[in-house]
């Protein structure tokens, strides 16, 4: 399995590296970081990740992952990127997004008539990007066939484990959570009572 | 506040980026990634982070963070690095480690006569690196004065929030956890019942 992660200026650190910690425990998975051009890409928090492949040279993968972060607010108005995303998704078996990454998938029409979710703090903004999407505000993550979308930041780790469970079974996913000493919220309806309500404050 | 994170080949992704997601929410904090030389540094899971500063040119910081990962097994036998760590810690107010990062701190003598913890799966190996350390196997993280050490991988996020609570109060830390939709295990004695027992299987 080859998973490609799309990086862009202002991606959210944990949106990318939470899921990759989980996927990185699968020995036959290859992780590729893709960005506008190869090299360092700055996160919202400052630290840079390293992209080894450019959007232009990228061919295909089994899983395409789109994180969120403040950078999605700019990227959403970049028609070249949205076109790239649409085309890249064609050759991909699974699409997954974390946080406001689902706004980008929605804008590319990849969530039309599909159930999906996003960061609850940015819900009003995200949902306007996909008027044909069946948005769910009361789920930590949503699976609709081959598309997995998660709520904000840490919910991406819970969704990633659910995705691993979908592919390899619950026991394998729990083993990875245990290895990472991660308290997996394995029930997508289990929204932490302290989590903010859906809105547009972010 | 300036926090420096030490990167090395084979660092564990979430050991670094879990805490940095939390610290990255503090607007007056500057995060610096330090490694043997500037450039991409490969994690245990494959993806690279980007170091902007070299160990040689590094001057000082308020917080020095040392992650774990398979690379600690090699780094522990690198006397130049251990000497660097000892010297760097002299100009630092707070020392924090995640997972097997505490083996490196211990080897440098920085945990002598201090209470500390580490990854439960690597506990036997880690504890031999610090015979004068007061190792605690039943804690998710341990604070001893200005030194915070955590158990494996995800425990680093819980410790980071506890560190933020130590500096700015519980409410601020909980606000960050909520923003990240993170289910903070705020009680260090709350070891997930599915977590493995201390041992040497890793």
């Amino acid at each position: 399995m080859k998973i490609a992660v799309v990086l862009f200026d202002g991606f959210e650190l944990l949106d990318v590296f939470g899921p990759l910690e989980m996927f990185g425990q699968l020995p036959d998975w290859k992780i590729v970081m893709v960005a506008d051009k190869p090299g360092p890409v700055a996160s919202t928090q400052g630290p840079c990740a390293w992209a080894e492949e450019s959007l232009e040279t990228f061919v295909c993968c089994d899983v395409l992952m789109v994180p969120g972060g403040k950078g999605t607010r700019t990227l959403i108005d970049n028609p070249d990127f949205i076109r790239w995303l649409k085309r890249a998704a064609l050759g991909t078996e699974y699409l997954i997004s974390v946080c406001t990454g689902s706004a980008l998938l929605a804008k590319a029409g990849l969530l039309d008539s599909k159930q999906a979710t996003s960061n609850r703090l940015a819900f009003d903004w995200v949902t306007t990007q996909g008027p044909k999407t069946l948005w769910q505000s009361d789920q930590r993550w949503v699976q609709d066939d081959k598309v997995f979308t998660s709520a904000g930041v840490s919910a991406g780790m819970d969704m990633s484990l659910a995705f691993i469970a979908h592919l390899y079974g619950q026991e394998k996913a729990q083993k990875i959570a245990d290895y990472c000493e991660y308290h997996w919220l394995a029930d997508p309806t289990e929204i932490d009572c302290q989590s903010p309500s859906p809105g547009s404050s972010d």
Side-chain angles (χ1 to χ4, degrees), chain A:
Chain A
M1 290 283 265
K2 179 181 167 188
I3 176 165
V5 181
V6 181
L7 295 179
F8 47 84
D9 277 344
F11 73 91
E12 187 81 14
L13 273 183
L14 198 56
D15 286 14
V16 168
F17 293 110
L20 291 189
E21 174 70 31
M22 308 304 166
F23 298 139
Q25 308 305 327
L26 300 162
D28 52 346
W29 277 45
K30 184 177 161 47
I31 301 167
V32 184
M33 313 273 264
V34 190
D36 195 31
K37 56 178 197 276
V41 183
S43 66
T44 300
Q45 289 70 36
C48 292
W50 174 258
E52 66 251 61
E53 207 168 322
S54 76
L55 299 181
E56 202 181 329
T57 60
F58 175 79
V59 182
C60 72
C61 60
D62 303 295
V63 185
L64 186 66
M65 181 172 118
V66 181
K70 293 206 190 302
T72 56
R73 309 287 175 135
T74 313
L75 209 52
I76 202 100
D77 294 321
N78 180 335
D80 289 343
F81 175 77
I82 299 298
R83 259 195 304 275
W84 177 88
L85 192 54
K86 211 167 187 166
R87 208 172 52 235
L90 283 175
T92 303
E93 193 173 356
Y94 289 97
L95 278 180
I96 63 181
S97 70
V98 180
C99 195
T100 51
S102 55
L104 300 169
L105 294 184
K107 179 85 174 194
L110 299 166
L111 300 182
D112 285 0
S113 309
K114 288 201 179 292
Q115 294 190 57
T117 197
S118 193
N119 186 321
R120 291 156 65 78
L121 284 170
F123 219 75
D124 288 355
W125 175 73
V126 172
T127 52
T128 59
Q129 310 305 322
K132 295 183 188 159
T133 303
L134 312 170
W135 294 105
Q136 313 289 313
S137 67
D138 57 352
Q139 303 280 308
R140 201 160 165 81
W141 73 88
V142 171
Q143 176 189 359
D144 188 326
D145 193 24
K146 302 292 181 99
V147 180
F148 288 70
T149 53
S150 88
V153 196
S154 305
M157 292 186 282
D158 301 310
M159 176 192 67
S160 300
L161 289 165
F163 181 48
I164 291 169
H166 168 76
L167 295 174
Y168 307 111
Q170 195 80 3
E171 199 182 331
K172 177 72 182 169
Q174 187 62 58
K175 215 172 152 182
I176 289 174
D178 292 348
Y179 178 82
C180 297
E181 297 197 28
Y182 182 66
H183 180 82
W184 179 21
L185 301 179
D187 174 2
T189 64
E190 188 184 350
I191 300 224
D192 198 324
C193 57
Q194 285 151 330
S195 283
S197 308
S200 58
S201 61
D202 180 35

